[in-house]
Amino acid sequence: MASTDTSSEEEMIMGYSMSQLKEAMASLSEGGDEECTRHIHGDKDKNHKLSMLQKITAVRILDYKNLLQKKDVPTQQELLDQAEQFQKEHGSILNLEHVIQKCDPAMALAAEFKRASPSKGRMADANLRAGEQASMYAKAGASVISCLTEPHWFQGSLEDLTDVRLSTTPPKNNATADDNDNNKNHRPAVLRKEFIVNRYMITEAVAAGADTVLLIVAILPSHILCDLIGYCRDVCHMEPLVEIHAPVELDVAIEAGARVIGVNNRNLHTFQLDLKTTEHTSQLLSQKGLLDNSITLCALSGMSSCHDVHRYRQVNVRMCLIGESLMRSSDPCAAIDGLCLHPDQYLASTSSSTGGAYTGGLKFVKVCGVTRPQDATEACRSGANFIGVIFVPASKRCVSVQQAQDVVQAVRAFGERQDRMDIDLSSSNEHDGAPLACLQAKGQALEKVASQYPLVVGVFQNQPAEFVRQMVETCGLDLVQLHGNEGFEACNISQTGVPTLRVVDVQLDADESAQQSQKKIDYSKVANQVMSQLTCDPVAILLDTSVKGNAGGGTGKTFDWNIARAVQSCGLPVIIAGGLKADNVHNAVSDINPWGVDVSSGVESSPGVKDIPAVQNFVGNARKAAVEANKGF
């Protein structure tokens, strides 16, 4: 009885006990020497607890052990026969290494289809067809389509992979008379992204239409990795993508003969993200004299913007794999275009002139007045770039230190980081004394970080600089927003400790609406007044509604958005706030195409408590409107 009780209390994952999972992971080392697992997390540690990556892998080991015991499952040879027939009908396998190299000088893009992930939850509607999404990726210029097939945590399947392959392969009658297989050159390569541990899974992939597979060094003993790479090339005629994270894994991959190496910037044991991981790997490969000559380097996680792509282009990365931001995008084609895969496109998109209007479109969505960590997480999941916590005592949404710390922790956990984000503003130094050029440079620096990680903004109003700095340090704030009459100089980083947004109030009479105010506004004059106040101290400018006689912010009223248009016509990108809701943000973005939008009370069920569907609708409507607005430029 005691034994039964212990078993019933043992943690179960996808129907398997923890002891079964540990035995499954241990089984991989059978047939190898003592050194074959030197790179495996927890190797030789008897008290080691399986990481999330190892749990997923162990489940897949046991899934396939059970699958292969069934009588009606195709044999490996039968799958190879199916693969041969598939290739006769739909074209032969594309070599991943060649596909990537042909993109030069543009960055090759592996656009990923995944329905969910362990760290970010569901990303796509359950009814979304993989082939439909992949077709959009291919149309926009993706040279590789990555398809998750793991069913438990990522909710994928081999059926998704086949759908991707068939949906991105041109009809055979489009091929030329000279070469009936020419159509294969006009489609993206298809990658099976899985936790592959045996030859059968590779053979399955080929039979389902894959051109390549992912082999994760962190889960494979070196002798198995060597065997699977050889099987890919010799039997399946494919070049695998070999994933590494740590330097010791790089050594194992090189020894195994990997030619295409992808660096996962995310540590799959801890789920911490560090974009420097790929840069460090590039440096190591350069020191070994292997980069480009013998090995094609790829970056596999954490990227979402043209700045990320350009960052890796600088260190000889040849392919970037991007998934989450494309899956969450309302327009994947526009999102891919915005990645600026060709270096000339990047230079054109980032060149700025102080003499022209700001036409870059919406970059930021800020959800302010957050008091609960669960609301912060959902806002991040919806696509918010900034999460605002208010420290103003008079506000109904004022947070305690503990509340702010909890929100910060939730945002960091979502962004898979442990520390405050460092925003490199050094590029603005060359514009000292020229406020507009300085703010434009700072804005680009802010975009690079906020497009990648959601940031926490602490909102203050006429409070001592010492208090602001104390909250920044105690709570771990990434940015500050000053909402009172502190002046622009108070936004200097020496005063607040972190880059600071400056609010500029747009005043209304207590009983006045934005529509009524339009009759008496000289927009050019107001814009010039805003521009005349500028200094190099803030990182960005936010326009918000204020009511005469009251402190700024929190009015629930919109101001005349034509003021924002006039300011942006002077070249200054601005974030707009005041009275925005899910049902009017589309108009705001469509009409003005602002740099950012900020919402608080417009997405609440009660002060400080967010209405999550309203948050999702607000962010979604803003992003959709941005796509439409950008088509006009």
Side-chain angles (χ1 to χ4, degrees), residues 358 360-364 564 568 574-576 588-597:
Y358 171 73
L362 187 80
K363 304 296 184 183
F364 305 125
Q568 292 200 150
V574 295
I575 302 169
I576 61 174
V589 175
S590 296
D591 293 348
I592 308 302
N593 212 13
W595 193 41
V597 290

Side-chain angles (χ1 to χ4, degrees), residues 100 241 260-264 278 296-300 317-320:
I100 295 171
L241 174 60
V260 182
I261 292 180
V263 183
N264 197 332
T278 295
T296 298
L297 184 63
C298 310
L300 301 187
V317 169
R318 305 295 293 277
M319 182 179 82
C320 289

Side-chain angles (χ1 to χ4, degrees), residues 496-574:
T496 60
V498 292
T500 300
L501 288 76
R502 174 68 249 178
V503 175
V504 174
D505 290 330
V506 180
Q507 279 198 350
L508 298 177
D509 291 327
D511 57 352
E512 186 180 32
S513 68
Q515 289 74 21
Q516 291 170 327
S517 72
Q518 290 180 1
K519 300 177 182 178
K520 53 187 178 182
I521 292 180
D522 182 337
Y523 300 119
S524 178
K525 181 178 179 180
V526 174
N528 288 333
Q529 288 174 346
V530 172
M531 300 301 290
S532 67
Q533 298 178 61
L534 294 183
T535 69
C536 290
D537 300 294
V539 70
I541 302 299
L542 186 150
L543 302 181
D544 195 5
T545 310
S546 69
V547 174
K548 291 180 181 178
N550 296 326
T555 65
K557 291 187 174 185
T558 61
F559 64 87
D560 183 354
W561 296 328
N562 287 305
I563 294 173
R565 188 202 306 277
V567 173
Q568 292 200 150
S569 293
C570 297
L572 179 66
V574 295

